[in-house]
Amino acid sequence: MSLKNPIISLKPILFIAAFCSLTSVSAQGTASDSIIVAGRIISAPGNNPKTLTINECDYSEKSERRITEPDSEGRFHEKIPFSYGHTFSVNYNGVFVNAYAEPGDSIFMEIDMTGNPATFRLSGDRAEINEQYSHGAANLMKMLYDVRLPADTTALSEYLAAFKRETGRTKIALEKYISENALLPQVADMLLRENIFTIANQALLYRGRNKEEQLAFFTDSIFDLFNEKNARVMIFPYHLGALTIDFPDYVKNAPKGIVRDLMYVSLEKNDESVPKREDFYNTAYYDRIFGNRVTELNLSGISEGDIIIAEKDSTYNITGVNPVDWMKKRFAGRPIYLDVSATWCGPCRASLANSETLRDYFKNTDIVFVVLWLKSDLDEWKKLIPDINNAIHIFVPDEDMSNRLMGALKLRGFPTCYMISRDGAITVDGVPHFHSPELIDYLNGLLK
């Protein structure tokens, strides 16, 4: 499909929300630390969601996920924090639009819901880049998620050969699309790098036969690890995160720059791992990430609605509740480990599958494991939950409630874990994920 026509059909594709990218700024940051995101929804049917999500899409805990309600004419206008130039996503009723911005930019977009599928157009700063990139991502990214890789414990030689075979195959299709649509060099470069790191996103749990094979995969030359052009692709920081979590000392060998900044953000943020401000390439980014480390959550604005509960072998509907209030009342006086996940999220499913032993270990204690499923497909959820034991599952079918929960919880991505204390206080700060070796000690500490 030619990109010369600025309006193209867009089928709802959930996974595009994850695609963001970073580009360099000076070591002292920029004159502005935000962007303006404005636009309008055209011809939205009356039964469509009333909320729209703007995801600033940063790997850090401070990632901005803004929930906004367009006015009666469908218009919206938001100021979003931005420390680097990168892409962000706008999601309305399952329609995702990606755009690229740098600090100080203003981006305008129209999402036309008249037809099925919907259409969109972008204008404002970097309009040509945004038209090409967002439409290219919409047309091509499904192909990158349809690849299949061997099991995570496959020997490195076999696994890497399969990985390179898949990236080579999809690269041919990408290059054909780039040539046929005469894409700008920056857009072509971003899409080609996404070809590698989107497929690598499916390999975040690769372990190989030993630690040496695991390290060798994540640092293979195909990833060109310290090339800062990779940092334009938001999937790249997830690759760095998978590397840094298991090999935290690796960051010590990284040259000062954007890549090392992202590695620092991937580390556990305790007093030992927080770097000095002068060690950061972008001090404005450091100030944002480490300046105020207490996350304040206010769940009072979440409206009541319908939810579906799966508990042991039974599934039942509850109407007119706030799901967070429901679980606090249902398990009053007990600590609740809350995992917020989505059915389409590969790392979510992998974490839940790999934590069966942990949940079984605590099944006779008063700790409750709850999985809150947002932005998810009901049929897929019904297939998944029978294999995830010793947990209460809450499915939120309403788009607006999902959006409002994501905003109130300051959800930076899937999965994110929270702790609800015995007295009902909820926090995200310092809560280990399922993959963290600290989680068992953390949960045991709640039993004292």
Side-chain angles (χ1 to χ4, degrees):
M1 181 178 294
S2 173
L3 289 175
K4 294 179 180 178
N5 182 355
I7 302 180
I8 90 168
S9 294
L10 175 66
K11 296 180 180 180
I13 304 176
L14 284 176
F15 50 74
I16 294 179
F19 289 96
C20 306
S21 61
L22 299 170
T23 190
S24 64
V25 295
S26 71
Q28 298 303 315
T30 63
S32 174
D33 61 355
S34 62
I35 62 170
I36 298 298
V37 183
R40 63 173 178 159
I41 309 296
I42 301 172
S43 301
N47 61 349
N48 270 18
K50 297 179 176 59
T51 54
L52 175 144
T53 305
I54 304 173
N55 185 8
E56 178 254 339
C57 217
D58 186 311
Y59 184 76
S60 76
E61 295 179 358
K62 300 294 180 67
S63 180
E64 177 74 17
R65 189 183 296 272
R66 186 72 56 85
I67 308 300
T68 185
E69 299 200 21
D71 65 18
S72 59
E73 296 182 349
R75 294 188 176 91
F76 58 93
H77 183 283
E78 293 287 348
K79 185 177 182 180
I80 306 294
F82 246 61
S83 300
Y84 285 105
H86 60 80
T87 60
F88 63 94
S89 66
V90 172
N91 170 24
Y92 179 73
N93 197 26
V95 175
F96 283 82
V97 182
N98 279 6
Y100 176 84
E102 295 183 7
D105 281 356
S106 294
I107 308 295
F108 185 86
M109 60 184 64
E110 291 181 338
I111 301 175
D112 191 343
M113 303 297 293
T114 304
N116 185 18
T119 58
F120 68 86
R121 77 166 74 223
L122 293 93
S123 57
D125 291 311
R126 302 171 217 286
E128 188 176 8
I129 287 175
N130 284 332
E131 282 291 304
Q132 291 189 2
Y133 173 72
S134 59
H135 295 148
N139 282 310
L140 295 168
M141 288 307 154
K142 186 177 188 302
M143 171 187 68
L144 303 184
Y145 267 82
D146 281 342
V147 304
R148 293 294 181 266
L149 296 174
D152 294 335
T153 54
T154 302
L156 177 64
S157 58
E158 180 183 347
Y159 194 88
L160 198 52
F163 181 86
K164 292 181 177 180
R165 185 167 55 248
E166 289 297 283
T167 55
R169 177 181 62 81
T170 49
K171 182 182 178 183
I172 293 172
L174 277 167
E175 289 177 333
K176 182 174 184 291
Y177 182 89
I178 289 166
S179 176
E180 289 177 348
N181 292 284
L183 299 189
L184 294 168
Q186 179 180 339
V187 177
D189 184 74
M190 291 170 65
L191 290 175
L192 287 168
R193 293 178 189 278
E194 282 173 355
N195 177 52
I196 292 176
F197 290 105
T198 303
I199 296 175
N201 193 39
Q202 301 182 47
L204 296 184
L205 295 178
Y206 177 70
R207 294 295 177 265
R209 294 176 300 181
N210 50 53
K211 297 290 285 186
E212 289 74 19
E213 287 196 342
Q214 181 187 9
L215 177 62
F217 171 74
F218 284 103
T219 57
D220 188 82
S221 59
I222 192 174
F223 299 117
D224 198 12
L225 202 59
F226 295 118
N227 186 339
E228 294 194 347
K229 289 185 178 179
N230 287 330
R232 292 176 175 174
V233 180
M234 194 273 176
I235 298 299
F236 175 64
Y238 287 89
H239 184 89
L240 289 181
L243 169 65
T244 308
I245 287 170
D246 285 310
F247 302 94
D249 289 341
Y250 198 82
V251 69
K252 297 177 182 178
N253 299 316
K256 188 172 183 177
I258 299 172
V259 174
R260 192 172 72 171
D261 284 1
L262 296 172
M263 284 181 165
Y264 278 139
V265 172
S266 301
L267 291 169
E268 294 290 334
K269 297 174 185 60
N270 51 45
D271 292 339
E272 291 76 24
S273 67
V274 174
K276 296 179 181 178
R277 187 173 185 270
E278 57 266 26
D279 287 343
F280 251 57
Y281 174 72
N282 179 4
T283 54
Y285 191 45
Y286 177 92
D287 292 342
R288 179 176 171 219
I289 301 307
F290 297 106
N292 178 13
R293 296 173 56 198
V294 177
T295 305
E296 296 182 1
L297 303 177
N298 181 2
L299 306 183
S300 61
I302 302 173
S303 58
E304 295 181 344
D306 299 341
I307 59 176
I308 305 172
I309 306 296
E311 184 174 2
K312 295 182 179 178
D313 296 327
S314 63
T315 301
Y316 52 94
N317 298 331
I318 300 179
T319 61
V321 297
N322 172 328
V324 178
D325 286 344
W326 177 85
M327 74 178 79
K328 287 163 68 173
K329 292 176 182 176
R330 171 74 170 75
F331 304 107
R334 300 175 66 182
I336 303 170
Y337 185 83
L338 174 64
D339 180 309
V340 182
S341 289
T343 55
W344 48 266
C345 167
C348 300
R349 295 164 68 156
S351 292
L352 289 165
N354 292 336
S355 57
E356 283 287 329
T357 302
L358 181 138
R359 291 194 301 275
D360 183 69
Y361 177 83
F362 286 99
K363 69 180 180 181
N364 293 321
T365 72
D366 63 350
I367 293 176
V368 183
F369 293 91
V370 177
V371 186
L372 180 63
W373 298 88
L374 305 180
K375 315 290 281 189
S376 294
D377 179 78
L378 181 58
D379 291 336
E380 190 67 22
W381 179 72
K382 290 178 180 178
K383 296 176 185 177
L384 284 173
I385 56 175
D387 296 324
I388 303 172
N389 302 300
N390 299 309
I392 309 299
H393 298 270
I394 304 176
F395 183 89
V396 177
D398 181 71
E399 181 86 1
D400 287 326
M401 181 182 284
S402 278
N403 286 343
R404 291 186 175 112
L405 280 165
M406 288 162 63
L409 291 169
K410 298 189 184 298
L411 190 76
R412 66 184 185 274
F414 297 95
T416 297
C417 298
Y418 302 80
M419 199 71 220
I420 301 177
S421 66
R422 295 180 187 275
D423 60 4
I426 183 170
T427 184
V428 67
D429 295 309
V431 180
H433 279 219
F434 275 130
H435 61 69
S436 173
E438 300 174 357
L439 181 55
I440 289 182
D441 288 342
Y442 176 86
L443 294 176
N444 274 327
L446 301 176
L447 299 175
K448 297 177 180 179

